Amino acid sequence: MLDKIFMKKTRRGNILKIVREHYLRDDISCGSELCTHMSCLSSNQTNQPKSAINLKSKTVLESKPLSSSSLFTDSHYIIPDTNIILHQMDVIEDPAFKNIILCQTVLQEIKQRSISCYQRITQLLNTPDRRVFCFVNEFHRDVFVTKMDSETINDRNDRAIRQVCKYYSQHLPSIKIVLLSDDVDNLRKAREEGILAVSCREYVESMSRPELVDRIAAKEEKKSAEELDEKQLTDSTRKNKHIVFPEHWKLSDIQAGLKSGKLFQGTYQSSRENYLEANVFLNDNEKYPQIFLQGYRNLNRAVHDDIVAVELLPESEWATPTSLILEEGEEDVGDYINEKEEDEQIINKPNVKKLPSGRVVGIIKRSWRPYCGMLQVSDLTDAVRHMFIPSEKRIPKIRIETRQSEKLKNQRIVVSIDCWPRDSRYPLGHFVRSLGPIGDKDTENQVLLLEHDVPNYPFPQAVLDCLPSLPWTIPEEEKAKRLDLTHLNICSVDPPGCTDIDDALHCIVLPNGNYQCGVHIADVTHFIRPGTAIDDEARRRSTTVYLVDQRIDMVPELLSSNLCSLRDDGARYAFSVLWEIQPNDAKIVKTEFHKSVILSRASLTYVQAQMKIDDKTASDELTQGLRRLNKIAKILKAERIRNGALSLASNEIRFNLDSETHDPIDVISKELMETNSMVEEFMLLANITVAKKFMKFFHNVHVLDDIRHHRSAILIL
């Protein structure tokens, strides 16, 4: 056991000494099938609960992994450091990389620095065939290292990773251990300590995979322009040298500027019409809600959606947006430009009110993501540097290196930005993957999904493991806990082709002449428990997304279109709200809430339901129930309108698809019927009723907590 001691400063300025006990063990598994040590074998046999991350003891690493590297032809395990995971995940995610030992030190650092990268590496850890093992080195007695007084946290973590390499080399002498790092200092120290260490580029180039080399992230190198002082740049220097953007301020200077009011923090939004203009939208600033930016040097390497620090220019330098649409050409014009050329492209009208203008002095948070677009192949023969044209016009062109230009020139591809040096007109990036031919329907659908950040990957095995097995039936013990409503004539009313039916309705006449109306919502919570893998995945996807010819589900189809869909082919779990309503004025006499079991009698479209209501010859119980529901819905809507409800509506369209190719052949406007309003009114009534229930019994946590204090500001829609 060790004591971790650190000092903490409170808000009042007091210094607290914090002491934490850190327990070390010697029975932590190395995760290899080669291991014969008793401590690892006993750890492998320990039964431990499953975790979201592969931290439990088990053998993951193969005994004889195949090598695809010409540098290391023998079997070997790879240990990447933090910068490899942060910057080279597009390479690491390739199936060629297997039998990877991920240090707990690296995983913890990744979680702190990049949540998106942490999610990606977590997914690899949970993919069995990738053979990625997380070694808990921070709690291993033989591997744990303490921070020295002269060390930075980064240096200590690098030393901890090197210690893991040495431990595995001694623990498993029959297999080689290779450290993967792009940190020059870490590589030098590793080699001095006798560790096999290479950079990501060296390792990938030895694999004879040109397409994998293209995925290596570019590194920003210090060049002469980086060392130039802003004051030393004369007018002639600016005209004849590469673009030299102003140097970004240090974070400490930015924080001081924000605190003093000299700088402002906001969200950078590029213009779609003019690539030399942008706006920075400030939060909670009444005087300057937004600051206008114009010109390369004032934009200063910011990219759309970045969080930036801006400095307000003197009022004499304020500008106004140009009225011309200005798009940057597709060709790579190099890194040369002068202020005269830029002034010719920016035309400011005289005697026009100027906008508060400023310049970007620093990037607080980058919002870079993978971008879709096309490759603009260089005119030079055998060139490896080419321009990438993003589909999103607010993103600048990106310069990438690829040896597959002939193959990719007619493809939609994905590219990530790596850095934007001061002496480069364009950001530098790397090729990630190809989506398919330009103009292909499936390819363009992929572009839409990726550009709007819609998750579109198969559900992980951990999610599928949460699903019930088929054939599925309702257990008698669960049925006994719920209100049995299978005797009622319940039906659903939805758009045509709907398979994920999440609500249903019914209405019967009670012995006293009043109506019993019910709304039944599919009980998804029975199958999706909080904290499970399927719950986390549903939260990540947020909603089901519909394209013209496909649907991207929030939960697996077994739930969305079957067990949690209130279809007319069997009993289903539901949450039910039942009202006793007076038929003449729709006054609610009594309300009940139940977990229930229902059996839908019909899955109707809006048109089918309307035809039943209008058919004077139809007198079955289901049709009469629809008529009663429609009658009550009209009264409820009229009452809402009298109370000042806000009605929001827009035209909806529907695509007619070819029956064979499923290509869209016609677009028609949806016709709204009384049944549309009928369903809408009862869904609103159900939501309002549940909200009032929450307000009564969960007054400290319900979402309408402020309704008691701001009743005049509440509109019940």
Side-chain angles (χ1 to χ4, degrees), residues 63-285:
S63 58
K64 292 183 179 180
L66 298 177
S67 173
S68 56
S69 169
S70 59
L71 284 177
F72 308 101
T73 55
D74 296 333
S75 297
H76 60 273
Y77 296 150
I78 298 172
I79 299 183
D81 69 359
T82 305
N83 64 68
I84 291 292
I85 301 299
L86 275 176
H87 304 298
Q88 307 292 356
M89 271 303 294
D90 290 326
V91 175
I92 298 297
E93 285 178 326
D94 190 89
F97 280 81
K98 295 183 179 181
N99 293 283
I100 299 172
I101 301 170
L102 186 70
C103 300
Q104 184 190 8
T105 304
V106 173
L107 191 64
Q108 291 175 342
E109 197 171 356
I110 294 296
K111 188 174 183 180
Q112 293 173 357
R113 296 177 60 179
S114 173
I115 190 62
S116 61
C117 189
Y118 176 76
Q119 291 172 345
R120 292 169 71 181
I121 194 64
T122 299
Q123 189 170 356
L124 280 187
L125 283 163
N126 287 312
T127 306
D129 60 348
R130 294 303 305 276
R131 301 283 183 169
V132 182
F133 178 74
C134 184
F135 179 58
V136 192
N137 63 299
E138 293 294 342
F139 294 94
H140 198 293
R141 180 177 297 174
D142 298 333
V143 182
F144 178 77
V145 298
T146 56
K147 180 180 175 297
M148 298 179 183
D149 293 338
S150 59
E151 275 186 326
T152 64
I153 293 295
N154 184 63
D155 289 340
R156 182 266 170 196
N157 290 343
D158 286 345
R159 185 161 60 89
I161 297 168
R162 295 197 300 272
Q163 183 65 25
V164 171
C165 293
K166 289 188 282 188
Y167 167 78
Y168 267 91
S169 295
Q170 298 170 1
H171 188 74
L172 303 172
S174 61
I175 194 166
K176 291 183 178 180
I177 305 299
V178 178
L179 172 64
L180 218 57
S181 175
D182 283 338
D183 187 314
V184 176
D185 190 53
N186 194 25
L187 283 174
R188 177 182 59 80
K189 291 179 179 178
R191 288 164 181 166
E192 289 175 355
E193 296 171 10
I195 299 171
L196 295 176
V198 293
S199 68
C200 183
R201 179 170 291 276
E202 289 173 331
Y203 190 89
V204 172
E205 286 180 345
S206 73
M207 299 173 68
S208 301
R209 290 275 304 275
E211 74 281 3
L212 203 53
V213 175
D214 290 346
R215 299 186 200 173
I216 299 175
K219 293 190 295 183
E220 184 171 356
E221 298 177 358
K222 298 284 185 180
K223 298 184 180 179
S224 57
E226 191 72 18
E227 305 300 328
L228 288 177
D229 190 314
E230 183 68 17
K231 296 179 181 179
Q232 295 175 350
L233 293 176
T234 63
D235 290 340
S236 60
T237 302
R238 292 193 184 97
K239 292 177 182 178
N240 298 311
K241 294 288 185 182
H242 290 181
I243 289 181
V244 178
F245 289 99
E247 187 172 3
H248 288 152
W249 289 19
K250 296 179 181 178
L251 183 59
S252 58
D253 295 335
I254 291 176
Q255 291 173 338
L258 293 173
K259 188 174 182 179
S260 66
K262 181 181 179 180
L263 302 181
F264 301 93
Q265 176 178 325
T267 304
Y268 180 91
Q269 299 285 301
S270 299
S271 169
R272 289 183 183 273
E273 289 75 32
N274 191 327
Y275 71 97
L276 292 176
E277 295 179 348
N279 287 282
V280 175
F281 291 88
L282 310 181
N283 298 324
D284 303 324
N285 192 312

